[in-house]
């Protein structure tokens, strides 16, 4: 009785691997119908959302790819890279050491390849793409509300109250409760748990979430310490080893440290995520939530807060903190008074943010898809292996289907969580990596196939449930959309090198024919080697007396040497102005689009109004006909009574 008719036959056929491709092709042709009628509206809504999100990603992917191609085509003509790579310009600029004592002075042209790669993502199209994504995310959310309203109408869920289904008491709550209380609405006795008995678990829950988020930050600090400690090792090792001379042009100590640090950070993220999922589910269960809605809301809050900090903390560090509080030669800032703070590449920290984002986003998507495909397959194989007998008749098809892995009530929760985390990568830091929508698009194409395959072949059929929306996830998406405007504005202003270049172009350039000529030299300050403290300067005598570092400070011969000069304040003012203008323009466009695009399509709204009008008319006609019938009956009865009275009167007269 668990499966019916042709759908049962379809799923049974799908378990045959030889026909998987044919079934999944057929699945695409009637996916919405099949999902709704077989799996229920709740799972169908997830697939509709994932399909719509993937469809909208195609537009962002095309624009992002165009911006990347623009950076690729303009890479050779970039004046900054040209100056850095020029032996007479970048080759003559001596840079200050990147670490104390062990690191040596280096020439700027050693970062030639890194500056060219940085231009791929840090160019004029970055600002355009950041603004475009702010508009895209608004259009996505507004059009999704329309699609959701259309599905709600077509699935006959307009007047469906999901809360009625979600407010059902959990069996675990009823089993754990020892108290009873009169329900003011139903006037029936129902299980009740006093607040004082829950308070200890609430405190434990809050403390656990805070502890794990602190643990994530501690692990991020540990990765930072790793990067700081091994940078000097990489630098000295690559200087001493002759075999690394050929790869030093593209595998610099900065890039090596960034790559290894990002990979280590990704491994830490996966480990912490694995343990926290178990702990958060256990704590939520021990809170003994009263209803399914309370359970899902509590778990959603815990999981999203942790996942947000876990996956995005390292990106926030690289984007907004790395290289911002370094100090200057002779007065560097130190982490725990031991490790010198990390510096950005002379071309900026954007390329490191791109590296971090690419490794974490790509690694998470690959790991997630592999886990979703292999994990249930291995469990099902192990069950079949234990249940295998000599006779196939003793292990029938329905028993095999029953022994499949259980999807569980939280199966969709983790699917939504995975999609929302990906949405954060696509929107929060997209200014640093325009190819993020393209990677998300390719992943989602595979994700839809994997989810369809595992639901129809690797899991038992979930219990069908109704849902007229994606629930609390829509509010989370709106919050991330608003936050993405601020993060991308700050990335363009403080992580990218666009604003300093614009300030130089309009205020400090002295060459009318080539306005950006001399920008590299202008963006570097001068430091007198004799001012280095003894414990930080490299050993040995040099044939030069000054070195350069990235900042806007007065030179050693100035009265206010090493203090920030006026250009620093001009650049800072330009950055703050850009943030204010971009945020106001983006929010204005968002609100205008949200106001112009109705939540419910006009044709759907007209049909809903017409159906309500027809319902009112039918009820009115029914009541009117009923009233007329009553009046007709009453009038005939009245006529009979009048006739009887007249007959009685006439009979009385005749008798008299």
């Amino acid at each position: 009785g668990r499966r019916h008719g042709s759908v049962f036959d379809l799923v049974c056929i799908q378990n045959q691997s030889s026909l998987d491709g044919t079934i999944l092709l057929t699945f695409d042709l009637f996916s919405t119908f099949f999902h709704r009628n077989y799996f229920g509206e709740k799972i169908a809504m997830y697939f509709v959302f994932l399909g719509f999100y993937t469809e909208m990603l195609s537009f962002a992917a095309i624009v992002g790819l165009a911006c990347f191609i623009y950076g690729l085509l303009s890479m050779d003509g970039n004046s900054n890279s040209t100056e850095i790579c020029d032996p007479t310009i970048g080759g003559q600029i001596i840079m200050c050491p990147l670490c104390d004592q062990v690191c040596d002075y280096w020439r700027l042209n050693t970062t030639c390849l890194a500056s060219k790669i940085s231009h791929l993502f840090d160019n004029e199209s970055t600002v355009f793409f950041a603004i475009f994504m702010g508009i895209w995310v608004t259009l996505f959310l507004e059009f999704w509300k329309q699609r959701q309203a259309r599905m709600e109408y077509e699935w006959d869920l307009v007047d469906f109250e999901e809360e009625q289904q979600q407010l059902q008491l959990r069996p675990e709550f009823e089993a754990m409760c020892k108290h009873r209380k009169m329900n003011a609405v139903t006037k029936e006795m129902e299980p009740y748990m006093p607040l004082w008995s829950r308070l200890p678990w609430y405190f434990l829950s809050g403390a656990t979430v805070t502890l794990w988020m602190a643990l994530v930050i501690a692990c991020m600090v540990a990765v930072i310490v790793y990067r700081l400690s091994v940078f000097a090792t990489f630098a000295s090792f690559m200087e001493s080893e002759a075999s690394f001379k050929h790869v030093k042009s593209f595998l610099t100590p900065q890039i090596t440290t960034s790559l290894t640090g990002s990979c280590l950070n990704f491994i830490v993220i996966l480990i912490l995520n694995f343990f926290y999922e178990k702990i958060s589910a256990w704590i939520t269960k021990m809170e003994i939530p009263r209803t399914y809605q309370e359970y899902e809301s509590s778990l959603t809050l815990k999981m999203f807060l942790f996942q947000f900090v876990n996956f995005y903390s390292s990106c926030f560090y690289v984007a907004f903190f790395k290289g911002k509080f370094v100090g200057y030669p002779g007065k560097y800032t130190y982490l725990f008074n031991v490790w010198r703070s990390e510096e950005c590449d002379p071309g900026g920290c954007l390329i490191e943010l791109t590296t971090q984002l690419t490794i974490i986003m790509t690694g998470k998507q690959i790991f997630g898809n592999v886990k979703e495909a292999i994990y249930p397959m291995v469990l099902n194989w192990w069950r079949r292996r234990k249940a295998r007998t000599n006779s196939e008749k003793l292990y029938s098809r329905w028993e095999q289907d029953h022994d499949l892995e259980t999807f569980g009530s939280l199966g969709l929760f983790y699917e939504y969580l995975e999609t929302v985390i990906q949405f954060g990568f696509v929107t929060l830091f997209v200014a640093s990596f325009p190819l993020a929508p393209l990677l998300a698009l390719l992943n989602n194409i595979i994700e839809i196939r994997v989810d369809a395959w595992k639901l129809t072949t690797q899991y038992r059929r979930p219990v069908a449930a109704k849902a007229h929306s994606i629930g609390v996830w829509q509010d989370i998406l709106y919050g991330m959309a608003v936050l993405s405007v601020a993060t991308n504005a700050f990335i363009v202003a403080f992580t990218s090198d666009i604003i300093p270049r614009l300030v130089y172009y309009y205020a400090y350039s002295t060459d009318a024919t080539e306005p950006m000529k001399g920008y590299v030299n202008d963006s570097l300050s001068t430091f007198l080697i004799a001012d280095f403290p003894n414990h930080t300067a490299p050993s040995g005598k040099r044939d030069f007396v000054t070195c350069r570092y990235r900042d806007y400070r007065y030179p050693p011969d100035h009265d206010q040497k090493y203090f920030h000069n006026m250009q620093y304040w001009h650049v800072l003012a330009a950055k703050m102005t850009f943030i204010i203008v971009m945020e106001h323009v983006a929010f204005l466009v968002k609100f205008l689009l949200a106001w112009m695009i109705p939540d419910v399509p006009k044709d759907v709204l007209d049909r809903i109004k017409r159906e309500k009008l027809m319902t009112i008319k039918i009820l009115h006609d029914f009541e009117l006909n009923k009233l007329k019938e009553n009046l007709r009956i009453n009038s005939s009865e009245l006529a009979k009574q009048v006739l009887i009275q007249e007959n009685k009167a006439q009979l009385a007269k005749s008798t008299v």
Side-chain angles (χ1 to χ4, degrees), residues 53-54 56-68 120-121 129 132-133 136 312 315 353-362 365 419 421-445 488 491:
Y53 172 49
T54 305
M56 290 293 293
L57 273 176
S58 60
F59 300 102
I62 292 172
V63 177
L65 183 61
C67 293
F68 177 78
L120 289 174
F121 308 102
F129 191 61
F132 168 81
M133 287 302 294
W136 174 87
Y312 302 142
C315 294
L353 177 59
T354 304
T355 304
Q356 185 87 5
L357 184 64
T358 305
I359 291 176
I360 294 178
M361 180 180 177
T362 307
Q365 292 181 161
T419 305
I421 294 297
Q422 185 205 80
F423 180 81
F425 282 122
V426 170
T427 55
L428 293 177
F429 309 100
V430 73
S432 66
F433 189 41
L435 293 179
L438 179 61
L439 293 180
L441 174 65
L442 297 176
N443 172 78
N444 286 1
I445 293 173
N488 284 302
I491 286 173

Side-chain angles (χ1 to χ4, degrees), residues 147-160:
R147 176 69 67 87
Q148 190 171 253
R150 189 177 296 278
M151 292 294 102
E152 186 178 350
Y153 172 77
E154 292 178 355
W155 293 350
D156 196 21
L157 297 172
V158 174
D159 297 322
F160 171 71

